[in-house]
Amino acid sequence: MRIDIITVFPQMIAALAGGGVVARAIDRGLLTLQAWNPRDHADNAYGAVDDRPYGGGPGMVMMAPPLAKALHAARARQSGRFRVIHLTPRGGRLTQAEVNRLAGLDGLVLLAGRYEGVDERLVELEVDEEWSLGDYVISGGELAAMVLADAVMRQLPGVLGHGESARQDSFMTGLLDCPHYTRPSEYRGARVPEVLLGGDHEAIRRWRLKQSLVATFEKRPDLFRARRLNDEEKKMIAEHLEEKRAGQSAQPAQPMEKDNA
Ligand code: 9D3
């Protein structure tokens, strides 16, 4: 795969090649990564790539011409099936399903904006898709582009080690992961759950599945509702609810948490 990133902070992208799955993919010849700086394509004497917004208001807007020139230079290096993707808070929230789809392409051109955003005409003329990481504000599109590149690369065959690729990622199964433990078997008085110390693989499978189901039920009701349960899983959740009920009546009622109002 080839990934080009359009950014006024190409140094940030260099961090991607310094370690992790992206670095490994580059080392193995599975990925070519290149950053393109619109500043190198600015037509004014100052190398300015931003200007004040028409209509007034705070901040600056990235100008279309230098972005378009950087984008066209990147496009010229792409081949096969590729998409131009703008990372922006105005995009839909990126999901594993979209990441998997993008991993099937030959290349990506990622547009990382700064300031208040990018001139909309550049988006209309050049961009195929717009994606956001989620409903919180970060300072620019670079970190989002790096997250997308990492998520896509780990889906490519040969990028992860055997142990890692064999393992199903939790968002693939629709459940949160179970908790993990390693040595020592006792840490600050807390023991590793007994079932994990024995060799009963079926008991371990059931324990992990129940932990995953309960964590998803308690922390991610949105994921839980979207997932169909089989009979074994329904029993585990029923057990959990019974344990919770029993646990509550055995204990004095918790004082209600103070709200922030
Ligand atoms: C109220 C105006 N702000 C929109 C929320 C302006 C603004 C803030 C921060 C415009 C751009 C940015 C920089 N953020 C990104 O480029 C970005 C982003 C993000 O802030 N959150 C989640 N996903 C992404 S993807 C790119």
Side-chain angles (χ1 to χ4, degrees):
M1 180 174 256
R2 178 182 176 95
I3 301 182
D4 292 295
I5 305 183
I6 316 299
T7 170
V8 293
F9 292 124
Q11 334 78 271
M12 285 184 74
I13 308 307
L16 264 181
V21 294
V22 173
R24 206 181 323 170
I26 294 169
D27 288 345
R28 295 187 180 178
L30 299 168
L31 173 67
T32 302
L33 181 68
Q34 188 170 347
W36 302 83
N37 191 345
R39 219 174 277 290
D40 298 337
H41 300 269
D43 50 11
N44 53 77
Y46 314 99
V49 293
D50 59 322
D51 207 337
R52 290 147 62 206
Y54 279 119
M60 301 291 269
V61 176
M62 294 187 85
M63 296 188 291
L67 282 175
K69 284 178 190 155
L71 209 53
H72 288 153
R75 276 181 187 279
R77 296 290 185 90
Q78 288 278 338
S79 57
R81 281 157 40 85
F82 69 95
R83 305 282 273 171
V84 177
I85 297 175
H86 180 206
L87 288 310
T88 166
R90 280 171 44 86
R93 181 141 57 101
L94 186 66
T95 63
Q96 186 68 55
E98 299 298 338
V99 166
N100 295 353
R101 173 179 58 82
L102 297 174
L105 299 174
D106 300 301
L108 302 171
V109 179
L110 306 181
L111 173 58
R114 280 273 150 177
Y115 322 115
E116 292 306 301
V118 166
D119 189 306
E120 189 65 18
R121 294 164 298 181
L122 184 282
V123 175
E124 285 166 2
L125 289 165
E126 303 281 356
V127 169
D128 299 316
E129 306 179 15
E130 293 191 304
W131 294 110
S132 162
L133 291 188
D135 296 340
Y136 44 87
V137 181
I138 58 178
S139 301
E142 289 80 8
L143 283 173
M146 291 159 77
V147 167
L148 175 56
D150 181 281
V152 166
M153 290 322 294
R154 59 183 285 115
Q155 296 307 317
L156 296 191
V159 169
L160 295 188
H162 287 289
E164 292 170 292
S165 54
R167 220 193 69 234
Q168 290 237 313
D169 272 325
S170 65
F171 287 109
M172 303 280 192
T173 69
L175 290 178
L176 299 183
D177 206 357
C178 63
H180 303 286
Y181 300 88
T182 187
R183 294 191 302 164
S185 63
E186 186 174 332
Y187 176 67
R188 295 211 199 166
R191 296 200 39 82
V192 170
E194 209 57 42
V195 63
L196 300 179
L197 302 177
D200 187 341
H201 298 295
E202 175 56 17
I204 292 170
R205 182 196 66 80
R206 281 198 305 268
W207 182 86
R208 287 180 168 159
L209 176 57
K210 186 173 175 184
Q211 292 289 318
S212 283
L213 281 166
V214 167
T216 309
F217 179 78
E218 294 293 345
K219 296 187 256 193
R220 292 294 303 274
D222 56 325
L223 286 183
F224 190 81
R225 268 194 304 276
R227 194 172 181 284
R228 301 207 70 76
L229 302 185
N230 63 29
D231 289 349
E232 179 188 38
E233 293 167 347
K234 283 177 192 158
K235 253 184 76 183
M236 287 173 170
I237 285 297
E239 261 174 42
H240 168 65
L241 292 173
E242 176 54 28
E243 285 158 12
K244 243 172 84 161
R245 198 194 57 75
Q248 275 167 6
S249 61
Q251 225 94 314
Q254 290 283 339
M256 184 116 66
E257 232 176 296
K258 244 189 258 169
D259 65 36
N260 296 320

